[in-house]
Structures are given as structure tokens and as C-alpha cells.
């Protein structure tokens, strides 16, 4: 229907313009009668069109602001001004066509999302790939995705793949994914053909959810747009009164017609919705789907931002940080991890994927498991390479009291808020696997940007325990932390904050849905698939970067300002033109041309909402991205050396004090860590300075580079003067230097990930390859036992 109306508008515009032009040519040739008849035909055509639109509006029970245009056309006929009528007809048709084209351009990115929905899939069968309708795919089907093809449903890779995720995230750089990683429907295979296992149907997959969100975004109008519509309807009697007054005072009906010609409230009718839809389209291009103009306006008005923790401020994907084994234990840490990964391949538990991925990252291919038995909430056991492996809670893996090294590992995990998986092999305690849910590197910078953009208060709401929640809150920079919250508690906090200011609630899980629905604006993170939170939310991030929210808020505020500006400028000029027409200074023909110019100007202002504005996220040159990724790979390689600093210091707690490991560590610190820090000083910091606006943004990192080199030098000089075995007083100095260096290195790494490497487009997240070590070593980060973070 929309396309049919657009075709009719185009035909009307072409016909009216042709008649107006033909009349002008006939008039120039001296054929005034023929010219008048031609213009009369154009006026009657415009009058018929205006009558049809008024009837259609009446059937929809909408205010008919086109009554002004109808009166202007009828008035031009009455006063014998067919040329003015023809110009008004062209103006009417041109305005309708311009509105349709502008709205189509504004909705372009939303339409592209819906148009790209996959229609078929290739099922992998014994006879080869068979093409089937995408609706026929069921979870568990093996699918083949060829080069350049769209991933039809959500699934899990059976081998490595390279994906173009720009349709969902807006990032043009292809992303490499490993075997076992999840892939989302709607992404494009940018590499070699790969196989995958479907985990969702087409209807429940990510892309289908995005299309549903887009349809909602198309269907809803903004409060400001509805307000503009009401003002436009109220504008009609004002224009009629002014036209009547001009006629009554002057006795010239041409003045009344001139007032009506310039009184069409097109800036109110066209500019406001185009600006709002342009903003929604702009955000969709960047991976943020807004469910209509009302949601975008509330997003722009938000003052209090509430975050869930897990999966929102943190990555939501646990990563393995340590494997602790007893000193002189039966198996080394690498073997414990390999066996554990072999067993976890058979599990769908949240932590299983992290353990399997960690083993593969470290070149430890998991073996197949047999006789696997998983007990929900307790653990999993089975046979791997002839060993009986049991993983899970301490009570499920160890008979009797825990050995001291396991008690120490659990105590450290509780203090640091780690997830723990206890491992027993052949009936003996063999290791403790520690995992953490790391804070998103972009989160602290995003919170700072939001405060700059006008967010006055940031609140963290989580079901996690108090200490881990407070730690995340401190790092991110929130104003208040509410820990231990169930869905009802989250709802109460949101309602309490809503009483003081407009709220924005950000979450990603089913337990966040009530709070998302209650907030002024609910924002759901749905990069890993559609959930109940996406259905309850007003705004959905389909890109796995929480800092996209800052860009969305900035865009929403900018587009609302543009909508108000376009309406104010357009209607202001319209009122001035009406006054000139009432005073007899603007005849009908000139008035029609002026009104057309006002309409074009107001729409042009509204269309500037499509132009990129100020962004929180930084766009880097492709060469800088390549440099950053190379440095980030080296950065990850340095982490095991950083963890060795702590391990070596811990090993010096009892005599005999062997300084050999310290000297070996110093070799790596000098040859690898310092070389890496110098490379960052030369290559990374200039990129940061260009991206963040000056060298002041890099001064802190530059200072820590110098401090790291200074501390390594002090450690080197101290150890150089000692014998192979040292006295306790000497060892105290060495341990102090090691622990100090460890603290500086860890803080420096976190600062680099937040300030520098978070500037990169999304890449495959690689767990921190921390050093695996033996028991007396403290380690880890976040929650407890084999269970999910709340």
C-alpha cells in the first residue's frame, strides 16, 4: 500500500509539473488562453488529490490539515489565479513525494535489516548438503554455510570460521571464530565454507528477533511527533482566522488565498517524524534497535542509569584463570586441564565451554570421554583416557575433609569472588580450576562518557554477593551498589529511582525482564540471542559492546534536538510568511514558491539526523586496528609472565630459598616484557593520542611503562648481588620487589585493556592465559563452586 501511494504521488508530481511547465511555455508564446486552461487542469488535478487525501484522513478519524491546501486550491480558482493553483498543485505533490522519499531514506537501515532475513538453509546429510526452507531447521541439525552466505539460524561452529557481523553490529571488520563458539543468524560467512550445529529454530534465532524489533520500531511514533501532529491540527483554525481577517480588513480575497498558500504546516507534519526515524535508523546501523520514537525520546530524557552486573558490565562469559594443583601432586596442571576439558566436552554447563576453550587455547586437545554422567547442581564424571575424572563441588569430588591446599584455594576464591571447579582423578584430589567473569574493558569509559552526556546517577543492581559487586562498582565508577537482589528486589530499586528522575535500566537476562519493563527505558543486551529481556525492553543492543549504549543516548538526544530545531525554524518562517501575505506583500504565486522552500529547508534540517554526530566509541584507521591487534596478541602473551611474578614470590616463603627461578623470570622480564612495553610506548600510545584527542590521554600509561622498567632494574640489581641461596633478610627484599612489580603489572594491563585495547572492534575473546601452578599459590577472581554467577 505504501508503495502504491508513492507511485501515485510520483505520477501526480510529474503530471502537475508537466502541466505547469507547458502553461509557462504557452504563456511565453503569447497563447494566454491555452496557458490558463493548462494551469486550470493542473489546479483541478491538485484539488482532486487533496480531496482524496481529506476523505482518507476522515475515514481514519484523523485531523485533516490538508484542508488548508484544499482551500488554497479552491481559492485560487475563485479569484481567477490558475497559475497560483498550478504552483500549489506542484507544491502539494512535491511535498508528498519529498516526505515519502525522506522517510524511505530515514528507514533505509531498518528496512535492510528486515530484507536480509535468511530464507533457506543447507542441511548436511549423508548424500551431501540439501537446501531446505529455513523454517524446517531444528536444533541439532548440522548445516553447511558457504562463502558469502548468510548464517540461517543461531548455532555453534564445528570448525573455525570468519564472519562478517556488520549487519548486526555495524562493525565492518570480519571476526574470526573458533570451533565451539556460538554464531548468530544474520551474519555472513566472510571466509571458507564451514559447518555448524543449529541451536535454535529460525523463529527463535537472533535475526528473527531483530526483525520483530524492527517492525515494532516502524509501528510506533514519538510523543514529540504526536505533539507536532496535534499542533498542526490546531494550526488550521489559526490560519483560517488570519486569512479571514486579511480579507475583511483589505477587501482583497487574494490576500486570504496567499495566507492559505503559505500556511500549510508541513514542517510540523514532515520534519519531526523524519528526524526521529532518521535517529532510529542511524542507531540500527550501529547495532542498536530502538522500538519506536517514544522509546527514543525516553532514552534521550534519561537521567538515572541502572545496570545489572553479570553479562552487562561484565562479559558474561567465564574464563579460566588458574589451575591449582598440590605440590608434588600426581598430575601436572596441564594434564588436569586436558582431562577436565575432555569430560566437559559432553556438558552444556556454563563453565564447560570456558574450560574446553582454555585447553584448546593452550594446545591441549581434549580427549573423548566415556560413561559420562552429569548430576545437575553437583558435577559431572566419566572416563577420559582411562582415568576416572570427577568435576564439580568440593563435596561431590572429595571424600572426607578437604586437604589444606584445597582449603587455601577455596578461601582465596571466596575472597576474590571466583568461580571454582574441583577436580578429582582416580579418586584423588587433583586440582582446583578457577574462573572469572571479567569486567568489560569498555565499561568504565562508557560510564564516564554517559556522565558527560548528562546521566547524573549510575546504579549497579545484581544478584551477586556484596564483595564482588562492590569491586565491580568501584572499577566501573557507579554511585550505588545493590547486591543480592532477586527480580522483585530489582523491581523495587527501579521504582524507587523512577520517583526521583527518568530511568534507564540495562540488563541481559530473564531475571531482568520485570525491571526492564518498569524502567522509563529498558535496554537489553541481546548479542547472544533473543531472550525475555529483549521482549520486555524498549531498546536492544545486538552488538556485544555495552559502550554502544553511550552512542545510542548521544544519538537520541541529538535527534530530538534536530526535530525541535527543524520544526521551530520551519514554523517560524511559515508564520513570518503568513504575516507578509496578510499584509499584501506576498502574492499567491510567490507564496507557493516560498512555502515550498520552507518545506525543503525544514526537511533538510531533519535529515541531518542521518549524519554521524559526536560518538563515544572511536573509529580507527584500518592500519591502526591491525597494529592494535598485533600488540594485543603480544599483550596476552605477556600475561603468563606477569602471573609467574606472583608464583615465584610465593615460592620463596620457606627455606631453602632458591633464587634460580627469580633469575629465569628476570630474563623473561628483560627480554620480553620490557621489549613489549617499549613497543607499546612507540606504537600504541600514538594511536591512543590520535583517537582520544592528545598526549594527555596517554600520560598515565607512559608513566607506568617507566615505573615497570625502573622496578625490573631494581629487582635485577638486588638479585645480581646475592648468592645462589640467600638469607631470609635478602629474600624479604626480593619478595617485596616481586609483589610490588606484580601489582604494577596487573594494574597496568587492566589500564591498557580499558583505555587502549577497548578501542578495537570486537575480536574473539581469548581467556587470559595465566600461569598454572601448584598449590600454595593464591589465585583467581569471582563467585564459588560449580555454579553460575548470580
Amino acid at each position: 500500500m505504501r508503495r502504491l501511494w508513492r507511485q501515485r504521488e510520483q505520477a501526480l508530481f510529474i503530471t502537475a509539473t508537466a502541466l505547469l511547465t507547458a502553461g509557462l511555455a504557452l504563456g511565453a508564446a503569447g497563447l494566454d488562453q491555452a496557458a490558463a486552461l493548462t494551469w486550470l487542469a493542473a489546479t483541478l488535478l491538485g484539488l482532486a488529490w487533496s480531496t482524496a487525501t481529506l476523505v482518507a484522513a476522515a475515514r481514519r478519524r484523523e485531523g485533516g490539515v490538508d484542508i488548508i491546501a484544499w482551500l488554497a486550491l479552491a481559492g485560487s480558482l475563485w479569484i481567477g489565479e490558475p497559475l497560483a493553483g498550478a504552483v500549489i498543485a506542484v507544491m502539494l505533490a512535491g511535498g508528498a513525494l519529498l516526505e515519502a522519499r525522506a522517510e524511505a531514506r530515514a528507514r533505509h537501515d531498518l528496512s535492510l535489516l528486515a530484507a536480509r532475513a535468511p530464507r533457506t538453509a543447507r542441511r548436511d546429510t549423508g548424500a551431501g548438503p540439501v537446501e531446505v526452507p529455513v523454517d524446517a531447521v531444528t536444533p541439532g541439525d548440522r548445516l553447511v554455510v558457504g562463502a558469502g552466505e548468510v548464517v540461517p539460524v543461531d548455532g555453534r561452529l564445528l570448525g573455525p570460521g570468519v564472519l562478517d557481523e556488520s549487519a548486526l553490529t555495524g562493525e565492518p571488520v570480519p571476526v574470526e571464530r573458533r570451533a565451539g563458539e556460538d554464531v548468530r543468524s544474520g551474519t555472513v560467512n566472510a571466509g571458507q565454507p564451514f559447518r555448524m550445529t543449529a541451536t535454535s529454530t529460525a523463529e527463535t534465532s537472533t535475526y528473527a528477533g531483530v526483525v520483530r524489533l524492527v517492525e515494532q520500531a516502524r509501528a510506533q511514533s514519538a510523543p514529540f511527533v504526536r505533539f507536532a501532529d496535534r499542533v498542526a491540527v490546531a494550526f488550521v483554525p489559526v490560519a483560517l482566522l488570519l486569512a479571514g481577517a486579511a480579507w475583511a480588513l483589505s477587501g482583497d480575497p487574494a490576500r486570504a488565498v496567499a495566507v492559505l498558500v503559505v500556511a500549510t504546516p508541513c514542517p510540523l507534519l514532515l520534519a519531526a517524524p523524519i528526524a526521529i526515524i532518521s535517529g532510529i535508523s542511524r542507531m540500527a546501523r550501529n547495532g542498536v534497535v530502538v522500538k519506536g520514537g517514544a522509546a527514543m525520546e525516553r532514552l534521550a530524557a534519561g537521567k538515572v542509569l541502572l545496570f545489572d552486573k553479570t553479562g552487562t558490565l561484565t562479559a558474561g562469559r567465564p574464563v579460566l584463570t588458574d589451575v591449582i594443583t598440590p605440590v608434588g601432586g600426581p598430575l601436572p596442571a596441564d594434564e588436569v586441564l586436558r582431562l577436565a576439558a575432555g569430560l566437559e566436552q559432553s556438558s552444556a554447563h556454563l563453565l564447560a565451554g570456558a574450560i574446553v576453550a582454555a585447553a584448546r587455547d593452550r594446545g591441549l586437545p581434549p580427549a573423548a570421554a566415556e560413561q559420562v554422567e552429569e548430576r545437575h547442581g553437583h558435577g559431572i564424571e566419566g572416563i577420559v583416557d582411562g582415568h576416572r575424572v570427577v568435576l564439580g563441588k568440593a563435596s561431590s569430588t572429595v571424600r572426607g575433609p578437604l586437604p589444606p591446599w584445597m582449603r587455601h584455594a577455596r578461601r582465596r576464591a571466596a575472597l576474590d569472588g571466583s568461580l571454582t571447579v574441583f577436580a578429582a582423578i582416580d579418586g584423588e584430589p587433583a586440582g582446583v580450576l578457577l574462573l572469572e567473569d571479567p569486567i568489560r574493558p569498555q565499561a568504565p569509559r562508557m560510564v564516564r562518557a554517559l556522565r558527560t552526556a548528562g546521566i547524573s546517577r549510575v546504579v549497579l543492581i545484581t544478584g551477586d554477593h556484596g564483595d564482588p559487586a562492590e569491586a565491580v562498582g568501584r572499577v566501573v565508577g557507579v554511585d550505588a551498589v545493590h547486591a543480592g537482589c532477586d527480580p522483585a528486589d530489582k523491581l523495587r530499586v527501579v521504582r524507587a529511582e523512577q520517583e526521583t528522575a527518568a530511568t534507564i535500566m540495562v540488563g541481559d537476562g530473564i531475571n531482568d525482564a520485570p525491571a526492564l519493563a518498569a524502567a522509563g527505558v529498558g535496554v537489553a543486551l541481546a548479542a547472544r540471542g533473543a531472550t525475555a529481556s529483549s521482549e520486555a525492553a524498549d531498546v536492544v543492543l545486538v552488538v556485544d559492546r555495552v559502550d554502544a549504549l553511550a552512542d545510542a543516548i548521544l544519538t537520541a538526544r541529538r535527534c530530538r534536538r534536530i526535530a525541535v530545531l527543524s520544526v521551530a525554524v520551519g514554523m517560524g518562517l511559515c508564520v513570518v510568511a503568513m504575516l507578509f501575505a496578510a499584509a499584501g506583500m506576498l502574492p499567491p504565486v510567490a507564496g507557493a514558491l516560498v512555502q515550498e522552500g520552507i518545506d525543503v529547508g525544514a526537511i533538510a534540517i531533519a535529515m541531518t539526523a542521518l549524519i554521524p554526530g559526536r560518538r563515544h566509541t572511536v573509529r580507527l584507521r584500518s592500519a591502526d586496528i591491525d597494529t592494535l591487534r598485533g600488540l594485543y596478541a603480544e599483550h596476552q602473551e605477556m600475561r603468563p609472565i606477569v602471573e609467574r611474578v606472583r608464583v615465584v614470590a610465593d615460592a620463596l616463603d620457606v627455606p631453602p630459598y632458591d633464587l634460580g627461578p627469580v633469575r629465569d623470570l628476570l630474563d623473561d622480564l628483560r627480554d620480553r616484557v620490557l621489549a613489549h612495553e617499549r613497543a607499546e610506548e612507540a606504537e600504541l600510545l600514538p594511536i591512543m593520542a590520535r583517537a582520544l584527542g592528545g598526549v594527555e590521554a596517554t600520560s598515565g600509561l607512559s608513566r607506568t611503562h617507566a615505573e615497570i622498567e625502573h622496578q625490573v632494574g631494581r629487582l635485577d640489581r638486588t638479585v645480581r648481588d646475592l648468592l645462589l641461596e640467600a638469607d631470609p633478610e635478602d629474600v624479604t627484599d626480593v619478595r617485596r620487589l616481586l609483589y610490588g612489580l606484580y601489582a604494577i603489572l596487573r594494574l597496568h594491563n587492566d589500564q591498557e585493556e580499558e583505555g587502549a585495547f577497548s578501542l578495537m572492534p570486537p575480536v574473539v575473546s581469548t581467556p587470559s592465559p595465566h600461569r598454572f601452578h601448584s598449590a600454595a599459590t593464591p589465585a583467581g577472581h569471582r563467585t564459588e563452586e560449580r555454579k553460575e554467577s548470580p
Side-chain angles (χ1 to χ4, degrees), residues 620 622-640 672-690 698 701 705 748-749 752-753 755-760 763 766 769:
L620 299 173
S622 58
D624 289 344
I625 292 174
D626 292 340
T627 301
L628 276 179
R629 286 184 170 167
L631 290 171
Y632 184 64
E634 293 180 9
H635 173 86
Q636 293 290 78
E637 292 172 2
M638 295 305 109
R639 282 191 173 274
R672 299 183 61 190
V673 173
L674 292 185
H676 173 66
E677 301 300 331
R678 290 165 188 153
E680 287 183 334
E681 185 75 23
E683 300 178 52
L684 176 65
L685 300 196
I687 294 174
M688 286 184 63
R690 286 194 296 270
T698 67
L701 290 179
H705 284 158
H748 177 65
N749 284 350
E752 285 185 334
E753 289 177 4
F757 296 121
S758 65
L759 301 177
M760 292 188 301
V763 293
T766 304

Side-chain angles (χ1 to χ4, degrees), residues 423-450:
I425 298 176
D426 296 329
E428 296 294 328
V432 180
L433 286 70
L434 300 179
L435 302 97
E436 69 173 2
D437 183 13
I439 297 173
R440 292 177 183 266
Q442 316 93 12
R445 191 155 49 88
M446 177 208 62
V447 170
R448 293 192 294 270
L450 288 172

Side-chain angles (χ1 to χ4, degrees), residues 351-617:
L351 306 183
I355 294 171
V356 174
R360 285 180 171 149
D361 286 342
R362 290 155 180 78
L364 306 170
E370 300 174 344
Q371 302 176 27
V372 177
E373 180 182 352
E374 185 166 11
R375 291 180 297 160
H376 181 71
H378 292 276
I380 185 171
E381 62 179 288
I383 305 296
V384 183
D385 277 356
H387 296 281
R388 174 156 291 278
V389 181
V390 182
L391 303 174
K393 295 182 175 181
S395 58
S396 303
T397 55
V398 180
R399 300 183 184 277
L402 291 181
W405 66 272
M406 269 193 169
R407 290 199 304 271
H408 177 75
R410 184 160 68 173
R411 184 167 61 252
R412 294 296 308 183
L415 288 173
D416 292 334
S418 289
L419 295 158
T420 57
V421 176
F422 291 83
I425 298 176
D426 296 329
E428 296 294 328
V432 180
L433 286 70
L434 300 179
L435 302 97
E436 69 173 2
D437 183 13
I439 297 173
R440 292 177 183 266
Q442 316 93 12
R445 191 155 49 88
M446 177 208 62
V447 170
R448 293 192 294 270
L450 288 172
R451 291 190 190 278
T452 303
I455 296 296
S456 59
R457 179 172 166 81
V458 181
V459 179
L460 175 60
I461 315 175
T462 178
D464 208 345
H465 304 305
D467 288 344
E470 291 285 351
V472 172
R474 281 192 297 271
V475 171
V476 173
V478 303
D479 298 300
V481 176
H482 297 271
C485 294
D486 60 20
D489 295 328
K490 292 182 179 182
L491 188 59
R492 281 193 292 272
V493 173
V494 169
R495 285 175 174 168
E497 295 288 347
Q498 185 80 6
E499 292 177 0
T500 62
T503 58
I504 302 171
M505 172 69 193
V506 187
D508 77 323
I510 293 174
N511 64 336
D512 298 319
L516 292 172
V521 179
V523 180
L525 275 73
R528 296 164 203 167
T531 66
S533 63
S534 302
E535 301 299 325
D538 304 292
V539 179
V540 180
L541 305 186
V542 295
V543 55
D544 196 19
R545 288 178 67 92
V546 71
D547 55 348
L549 176 61
D551 288 334
I553 292 176
L554 290 171
T555 300
R557 293 185 173 181
R558 176 173 176 267
C559 289
R560 195 179 192 283
R561 287 195 303 270
I562 289 173
V564 172
L565 175 65
S566 61
V567 167
V569 170
M571 292 310 297
L573 292 175
C574 186
V575 169
V576 171
M578 288 169 63
L579 294 175
F580 272 84
M585 302 170 64
L586 196 64
V589 174
L593 296 175
V594 168
Q595 179 59 40
E596 185 70 8
I598 292 172
D599 291 349
V600 171
I603 291 174
I605 294 173
M607 291 292 287
T608 61
L610 285 171
I611 300 173
R614 183 167 63 96
R615 291 173 55 91
H616 159 64
T617 52

Side-chain angles (χ1 to χ4, degrees), residues 658-670:
D658 182 8
L659 295 182
V662 180
R663 293 187 172 91
D664 292 340
L665 173 65
L666 271 168
D667 290 339
D668 279 339
L669 289 172
R670 283 191 303 263

